[in-house]
Amino acid sequence: MKVDTCSIPDGTALARFRDSGAYTHAEAAEAVIPRKGRVDARELARLTMDRPSMTPERAFWLVDLWIRVQGLLLRPFGVKANTMRGGREQPLPEAGGRLGPYEVFEASEAEVLLGDADAFLEHRMSFVVADGKAFIGVVLRTRNEAGEAYWNQLRHNQTLILHESLRRGLTRAVGDDEAADRETPADR
């Protein structure tokens, strides 16, 4: 499945957030939804956030352990603990609820906007389905030097994370066979 970098789609909640103030980083990725595939933004967000990292299945227990440690060590510093655990399926996102570690601000068949804010960062992520394409985008605002330091560690992998997240979510939504049907030799 071919995933490309693109601009954040105009008219989306993520674009409104980006345009509401200064930001550190804004980026999006897009992919054509396979012909037989049918997915809306809520399902795409759920399936993508169900397994957000590129951790191999056999090592996911380490992620679960780190999440528990996070809750104990980082909470005093204003960092909210991640709620994604290996054996826990994520629900369909609803406005006012949570999806993984993030608050859901808006949720419809066309777009899901979620994010979080702590002492270091303000982060928004959006899943958009429109015109036969799926999009994932992110806008990040750092609040201080600690936020800048965190961003400096992540910035080199942000594009890869977006591309792989969208690819994984769409593949799970439409199935491996349909995704492979749309893949060309140049995509491999």
Side-chain angles (χ1 to χ4, degrees), residues 17-43:
F17 177 77
R18 177 199 60 206
D19 297 343
S20 69
Y23 58 87
T24 306
H25 181 75
E27 184 176 3
E30 67 179 357
V32 174
I33 298 171
R35 285 184 294 270
K36 295 179 184 175
R38 186 171 156 89
V39 63
D40 67 25
R42 293 177 66 219
E43 183 68 2

Side-chain angles (χ1 to χ4, degrees), residues 66-88:
W66 171 242
I67 288 168
R68 286 183 176 92
V69 170
Q70 224 182 14
L72 295 172
L73 298 179
L74 301 179
R75 192 170 301 209
F77 300 106
V79 177
K80 295 176 186 169
N82 189 330
T83 59
M84 291 180 268
R85 295 212 171 91
R88 186 183 297 171

Side-chain angles (χ1 to χ4, degrees), residues 14-180:
L14 187 62
R16 287 192 307 274
F17 177 77
R18 177 199 60 206
D19 297 343
S20 69
Y23 58 87
T24 306
H25 181 75
E27 184 176 3
E30 67 179 357
V32 174
I33 298 171
R35 285 184 294 270
K36 295 179 184 175
R38 186 171 156 89
V39 63
D40 67 25
R42 293 177 66 219
E43 183 68 2
L44 179 62
R46 183 187 76 79
L47 290 171
T48 303
M49 295 303 293
D50 192 40
R51 279 295 309 272
S53 72
M54 293 181 274
T55 306
E57 193 69 39
R58 67 183 181 276
F60 214 65
W61 69 272
L62 288 170
V63 175
D64 290 345
L65 179 62
W66 171 242
I67 288 168
R68 286 183 176 92
V69 170
Q70 224 182 14
L72 295 172
L73 298 179
L74 301 179
R75 192 170 301 209
F77 300 106
V79 177
K80 295 176 186 169
N82 189 330
T83 59
M84 291 180 268
R85 295 212 171 91
R88 186 183 297 171
E89 185 174 305
Q90 296 294 314
L92 278 176
E94 296 290 339
R98 293 193 75 77
L99 184 63
Y102 303 116
E103 181 179 345
V104 179
F105 295 104
E106 296 183 28
S108 70
E109 290 183 359
E111 182 177 14
V112 172
L113 178 70
L114 38 104
D116 209 353
D118 59 31
F120 310 112
L121 313 163
E122 187 171 19
H123 172 264
R124 295 291 183 275
M125 180 171 28
S126 182
F127 297 87
V128 177
V129 174
D131 303 323
K133 290 184 178 180
F135 301 85
I136 183 173
V138 63
V139 174
L140 174 78
R141 294 182 175 133
T142 56
R143 295 184 166 184
N144 50 37
E145 287 181 20
E148 285 289 331
Y150 173 80
W151 169 241
N152 284 331
Q153 295 302 310
L154 183 65
R155 79 174 49 215
H156 307 291
N157 296 316
Q158 182 64 45
T159 301
L160 176 64
I161 291 168
L162 282 178
H163 285 227
E164 289 302 316
S165 296
L166 182 57
R167 183 177 289 111
R168 184 180 52 255
L170 267 180
T171 299
R172 292 184 74 202
V174 302
D176 289 332
D177 294 339
E178 290 183 40

